[in-house]
């Protein structure tokens, strides 16, 4: 029981750290440069501008209404997150979105861009944003918005990932911003989004597939691996030309998050086993994407 509470606290800690990085990237790099955020943050920005410019609603200078709007438009997506990923994902996501909304509203923003070079400003801010999103997803939660939509698509469509769906949808958002406002601002905003998407995919371990080949004399190891990671294991007999002894070769495809569990098991059951880890470009067939962290 204590172990479960400790693990949940650990996941929540890193999830909140992730949304803090995302909010800092928005308030310190994106907002001062007059750029548009991607996904639901960008939609919240556009709604805020509509309320200010068209509806004439006055908003205090030190308070950014983007965070409050972001929270409101995320509420319908919570049901999709629960249905797609699970209860723990929903619980962590609600907390993460609440904290992120507060930070987006109250973190003080500088009067101008932190860096004079706008391109460098976009790339550093995008990397910080992508790192934050990836950390939150890796901890088994999300910052809401396109993260939930991306996870849903990643689970239903094998070749999709959270970063890819973010970049794809953001392209349409920035195209609309370019037509309505300024093409250069939209282009720099897209640089921010693409950088964030790439870093998100690199950080989100559950999204990275790995194939492992284990050469051992332990015939039970394949069954132990299957039970430990709940994955199918293919085994066949081999022959060691150097040792002149029979070997068993086990092959399993897992995600990168499950790699540590596999390493611990092999070290326990057969420390002398030969292990080769590969990153396959494509995995087809019956491979379940697991996005919730227990």
């Amino acid at each position: 029981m204590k172990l479960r509470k400790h693990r949940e606290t650990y996941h929540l800690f890193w999830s909140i750290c992730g949304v803090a990085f995302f909010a800092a990237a928005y308030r310190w790099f994106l907002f001062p440069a007059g750029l548009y955020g991607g996904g639901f943050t960008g939609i919240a920005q556009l709604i805020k501008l509509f309320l200010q410019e068209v509806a004439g609603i006055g908003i205090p200078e030190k308070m950014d209404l983007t965070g409050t709007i972001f929270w409101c438009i995320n509420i319908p997506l919570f049901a999709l997150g629960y249905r797609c990923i699970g209860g723990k994902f929903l619980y962590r996501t609600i907390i993460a979105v609440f904290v992120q909304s507060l930070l987006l509203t109250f973190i003080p923003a500088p009067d101008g861009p932190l860096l004079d070079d706008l391109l460098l400003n976009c790339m550093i801010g995008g990397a910080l944003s992508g790192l934050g999103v990836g950390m939150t997803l890796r901890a088994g939660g999300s910052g809401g918005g396109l993260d939930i939509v991306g996870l849903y698509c990643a689970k239903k469509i094998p070749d999709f990932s959270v970063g890819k769906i973010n970049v794809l949808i953001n392209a349409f958002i920035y195209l609309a911003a370019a037509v309505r406002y300024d093409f250069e601002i939209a282009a720099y905003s897209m640089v921010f989004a693409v950088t964030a998407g790439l870093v998100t995919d690199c950080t989100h371990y559950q999204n990275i597939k790995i194939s492992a080949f284990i050469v051992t004399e332990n015939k039970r190891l394949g069954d132990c691996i299957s039970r430990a990671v709940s994955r199918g294991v293919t085994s066949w007999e081999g022959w060691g030309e150097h040792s002149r002894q029979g070997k068993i070769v086990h092959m399993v495809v897992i995600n990168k998050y499950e790699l540590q569990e596999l390493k611990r098991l092999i070290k326990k059951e057969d420390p002398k086993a030969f292990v080769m880890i590969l990153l396959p470009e494509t995995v087809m067939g019956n491979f379940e994407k697991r996005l919730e962290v227990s």
Side-chain angles (χ1 to χ4, degrees):
M1 191 68 178
K2 289 184 178 180
L3 180 61
R4 287 183 180 180
K5 289 183 178 180
H6 176 74
R7 291 178 65 180
E8 187 60 34
T9 302
Y10 173 84
H11 291 312
L12 280 175
F13 171 78
W14 286 110
S15 181
I16 291 173
C17 285
V19 297
F21 283 169
F22 174 85
Y26 172 81
R27 295 292 290 165
W28 294 344
F29 291 93
L30 197 74
F31 181 78
L35 304 178
Y36 293 95
F40 276 43
T41 307
I43 294 172
Q45 280 182 284
L46 294 175
I47 293 174
K48 182 193 74 172
L49 289 174
F50 174 82
L51 294 175
Q52 287 179 311
E53 297 177 1
V54 179
I57 298 177
I59 301 173
E61 292 183 2
K62 294 186 177 180
M63 181 178 178
D64 190 350
L65 199 60
T66 302
T68 305
I69 298 171
F70 177 79
W71 168 261
C72 294
I73 60 180
N74 264 283
I75 293 175
L77 287 177
F78 292 149
L80 178 64
Y82 175 76
R83 183 178 178 182
C84 173
I85 313 298
K88 288 184 179 180
F89 172 83
L90 176 64
Y91 161 69
R92 294 166 186 159
T93 295
I94 290 176
I95 294 177
V97 171
F98 178 73
V99 173
Q100 181 172 301
S101 299
L102 289 178
L103 294 175
L104 287 173
T105 302
F106 295 109
I107 286 182
D111 295 331
L114 291 180
L115 303 172
D116 294 332
D117 188 330
L118 192 55
L119 181 61
L120 187 60
N121 190 85
C122 292
M123 295 186 70
I124 294 177
L128 182 62
S129 173
L131 176 64
V133 172
M135 286 173 59
T136 304
L137 293 173
R138 186 172 166 181
S142 84
L146 284 187
D147 292 349
I148 298 177
V149 177
L151 286 171
Y152 177 81
C153 292
K155 194 162 187 177
K156 298 297 181 180
I157 307 172
D159 291 333
F160 266 79
S161 66
V162 178
K164 288 179 182 178
I165 197 69
N166 269 275
V167 172
L168 182 62
I169 295 179
N170 285 337
F172 291 99
I173 294 175
Y174 293 135
L175 179 61
V179 173
R180 174 63 180 84
Y181 294 102
D182 183 86
F183 178 80
E184 185 176 350
I185 292 297
Y188 278 117
S189 300
M190 191 64 189
V191 171
F192 182 96
V194 171
T195 305
L198 292 173
V199 175
T200 294
D201 278 350
C202 291
T203 311
H204 186 201
Y205 274 15
Q206 295 93 319
N207 191 56
I208 302 174
K209 295 179 284 292
I210 288 174
S211 59
F213 293 84
I214 305 101
V215 182
T216 178
E217 296 179 5
N218 187 343
K219 295 183 178 181
R220 294 180 53 255
L221 186 58
D223 181 61
C224 293
I225 293 173
S226 182
R227 291 175 181 274
V229 297
S230 299
R231 298 283 191 187
V233 178
T234 301
S235 304
W236 61 90
E237 294 183 354
W239 178 259
E241 292 294 344
H242 178 72
S243 65
R244 315 303 296 177
Q245 295 181 353
K247 302 286 185 179
I248 302 295
V249 182
H250 304 294
M251 189 276 289
V252 62
V253 178
I254 57 178
N255 64 45
K256 199 169 183 179
Y257 186 82
E258 297 164 331
L259 180 60
Q260 295 303 317
E261 179 63 28
L262 178 66
K263 287 181 177 179
R264 283 193 292 267
L265 177 66
I266 294 174
K267 186 176 181 180
K268 175 183 176 183
E269 297 292 334
D270 187 1
K272 296 182 179 181
F274 175 80
V275 182
M276 180 171 61
I277 305 295
L278 301 174
L279 292 173
E281 289 190 10
T282 304
V283 174
M284 301 175 64
N286 186 23
F287 180 79
E288 179 188 2
K289 278 196 174 183
R290 298 170 184 165
L291 302 174
E292 183 178 21
V293 179
S294 60

